Amino acid sequence: MSAGLERAGRGRFAARTVRVKAPGKVNVSLAVGPLRPDGYHSVASVYLAVSLYEEVAATSTAAPGITISLSPESTLDLDAVDIPLDSNNLAYKAAAIMADVSEHATGVHLEITKRVPVAGGMGGGSADAAATLLACDALWNSGLSREELAHLAAELGADVPFSLLGGTAVGLGLGDELSPALAKAQTHWVLVVADYGLSTPEVYRTLDRLRGDEGVDAEGPTGVDPQILAALRGGDAESLSRVLVNDLQRASIELSPALRDTLGIGESHGAIAGMVSGSGPTVALLADDSVAAEALAEDLRRHGLTAIPVHGPVPGARIISDTLL
């Protein structure tokens, strides 16, 4: 048990719930370097926070410890995904970190509303962790700044700081060296959600194998294509369609050849470009505008695909309610 949770048992208890939502993301570009001696890969990516949100309701409890449940309001088929409800869950780890740095931590129950695909390359677990950090900070009156929360977020994974930040950002290093990018204009996408997940480590290993088989000596990326940032700044979907790149895409397709068909169906029904999001298997299809995105999603649903129109950029994690019980 953390020191913060031990302290909580000696104070007065008042039940309270803080609810936070945090966005999933699309990697508008993702360049991947070679395998490093430490077992990781350097990346250069442009992250775009999109309007598909996870929610975490953090409720203080009289009993010490951290518990987790999944909300029946979740739009994912919870019977079809394996989500740990113990210390292996990233939200649990986020609450434990906050308890360690908070003087007035209590026990806490986390109810997670899942909407972002699990193991789908969109950072759903990272969004849960970011939401939990912000919720517990408010619940326990920790008084941490966003910058301090971002430092804690970086301990949990490369995508967690971005879910706190939201908007658009360039990620270097392991993806956690974030620089906000000015891009307020909206772009519109259709996310095609698979009914299975892909292991991110396995996708990276497959990329390494493919490069080795081809004798490719990849270089570590040092920056992103400025044309991508310019297209995002102007909300210019046509220009953006010509510069989308994801080095992991071919590895994801190698592991799941059906992704090639999904991309083809999307582009044949009006998408101006398509790509696998991150390590997949979610496919992100770029549309001209919101009307085109809605029409494309409808067409894809008629083909039996799960298609969700979204837009970005959107803000990062934010509190949506704070209630005394």
Side-chain angles (χ1 to χ4, degrees):
M1 184 190 307
S2 73
L5 292 177
E6 290 176 333
R7 287 193 294 271
R10 299 193 290 269
R12 291 184 62 187
F13 173 75
R16 180 177 161 209
T17 296
V18 177
R19 183 177 293 273
V20 174
K21 72 176 184 178
K25 55 85 179 171
V26 170
N27 294 79
V28 178
S29 78
L30 179 56
V32 178
L35 182 65
R36 307 188 323 190
D38 63 5
Y40 292 96
H41 297 75
S42 295
V43 302
S45 185
V46 178
Y47 297 111
L48 180 71
V50 296
S51 56
L52 186 62
Y53 300 93
E54 298 280 273
E55 287 186 19
V56 174
T59 301
S60 52
T61 61
I66 301 164
T67 56
I68 300 177
S69 65
L70 300 178
S71 169
E73 300 298 315
S74 301
T75 57
L76 297 186
D77 181 358
L78 298 179
D79 293 331
V81 293
D82 182 19
I83 300 173
L85 301 179
D86 54 19
S87 59
N88 292 310
N89 191 298
L90 209 53
Y92 183 107
K93 295 176 181 179
I97 285 179
M98 284 303 303
D100 280 336
V101 301
S102 302
E103 293 186 8
H104 307 293
T106 65
V108 64
H109 178 71
L110 307 174
E111 183 183 56
I112 303 174
T113 304
K114 298 293 298 178
R115 299 189 182 96
V116 177
V118 174
M122 290 190 62
S126 297
D128 294 337
T132 299
L133 289 173
L134 186 58
C136 288
D137 175 67
L139 189 69
W140 297 330
N141 299 308
S142 304
L144 298 185
S145 67
R146 277 285 171 135
E147 184 177 0
E148 289 170 321
L149 288 174
H151 282 301
L152 295 177
E155 298 179 27
L156 295 165
D159 287 344
V160 184
F162 176 69
S163 195
L164 270 175
L165 176 69
T168 308
V170 173
L172 301 177
L174 296 179
D176 57 344
E177 299 172 17
L178 293 178
S179 302
L182 179 63
K184 294 183 178 180
Q186 296 286 303
T187 51
H188 298 271
W189 305 77
V190 173
L191 305 177
V192 183
V193 180
D195 58 2
Y196 59 91
L198 283 177
S199 162
T200 296
E202 181 63 22
V203 173
Y204 274 92
R205 284 193 293 269
T206 301
L207 176 62
D208 293 335
R209 176 177 59 78
L210 291 172
R211 285 173 168 173
D213 291 346
E214 297 165 355
V216 173
D217 187 15
E219 296 182 359
T222 58
V224 301
D225 185 345
Q227 294 182 76
I228 295 174
L229 298 177
L232 287 169
R233 277 196 300 271
D236 185 346
E238 188 61 42
S239 294
L240 185 60
S241 72
R242 295 192 290 268
V243 289
L244 297 178
V245 61
N246 178 4
D247 283 354
L248 292 180
Q249 178 164 305
R250 64 186 185 127
S252 299
I253 291 173
E254 174 82 5
L255 293 168
S256 177
L259 292 176
R260 183 179 289 106
D261 296 332
T262 301
L263 288 164
I265 291 170
E267 293 180 7
S268 69
H269 283 80
I272 58 175
M275 66 190 306
V276 174
S277 177
S279 56
T282 302
V283 167
L285 301 169
L286 180 62
D288 280 312
D289 51 35
S290 61
V291 174
E294 291 284 354
L296 174 59
E298 185 61 34
D299 283 346
L300 295 178
R301 291 183 196 120
R302 283 196 285 267
H303 278 75
L305 298 172
T306 301
I308 307 167
V310 298
H311 62 271
V314 298
R318 64 184 189 273
I319 295 171
I320 55 177
S321 67
D322 187 340
T323 308
L324 285 172
L325 304 179

